[in-house]
Amino acid sequence: MPGYVPKRKLLSDPAAIRALEGALTRTSIYRYAAHYCRCRDTYWIESFNHQLLTYLSKRVHFGDDTFVIRMNLAVLDWNENVQRAATSHRVYLNARRPDRQAPSHCTNVVQGDEEEEGSNDD
């Protein structure tokens, strides 16, 4: 941008630049960047945050003691269920275009209408 003035002083000392580069390249995000693409590791965080909302709604203000109790309950619930097997499966079906395939990464894909004629017990 024309006229942009940085708020902080830019690094010019080669030793400081090497130290900063060394600090950045030692981080786990830098060393294992492939684990952080496509939510390979961050989905655990998102899942835990979703679990927190079960106990700590953003719309309700909790006192300090209640907040700590609810946070601890969320952590206990998360730790108890974090590695359990899936209890439901998502089925992809496009009602407008049943001839189209669901994305290749989806499992349990249903193509077309699975109900047989005359299966209603009316």
Side-chain angles (χ1 to χ4, degrees):
M1 293 182 75
Y4 173 74
V5 179
K7 293 182 180 180
R8 302 191 195 288
K9 184 178 178 183
L10 299 177
L11 290 178
S12 58
D13 182 19
I17 293 172
R18 280 194 306 275
L20 179 60
E21 287 175 348
L24 292 174
T25 57
R26 283 191 300 271
T27 62
S28 65
I29 292 175
Y30 183 86
R31 289 184 294 155
Y32 307 108
H35 293 180
Y36 293 91
C37 336
R38 299 183 185 161
C39 300
R40 286 189 181 173
D41 281 342
T42 59
Y43 74 94
W44 292 108
I45 296 167
E46 296 297 327
S47 181
F48 178 69
N49 285 335
H50 179 72
Q51 180 66 33
L52 283 178
L53 292 177
T54 304
Y55 291 92
L56 294 166
S57 175
K58 291 181 179 180
R59 297 179 181 160
V60 178
H61 173 74
F62 298 103
D64 291 342
D65 293 336
T66 305
F67 179 84
V68 170
I69 290 170
R70 287 177 170 267
M71 176 66 80
N72 289 336
L73 283 173
V75 170
L76 288 173
D77 192 15
W78 168 261
N79 287 339
E80 183 67 26
N81 298 305
V82 69
Q83 293 291 347
R84 74 175 183 189
T87 57
S88 61
H89 299 283
R90 182 174 292 169
V91 177
Y92 293 90
L93 176 64
N94 187 340
R96 292 184 180 176
R97 298 293 307 266
D99 57 323
R100 290 191 179 174
Q101 292 183 352
S104 61
H105 65 277
C106 302
T107 58
N108 299 329
V109 177
V110 174
Q111 293 295 324
D113 193 2
E114 290 293 319
E115 291 184 31
E116 297 177 13
E117 291 184 26
S119 62
N120 293 340
D121 295 331
D122 292 338

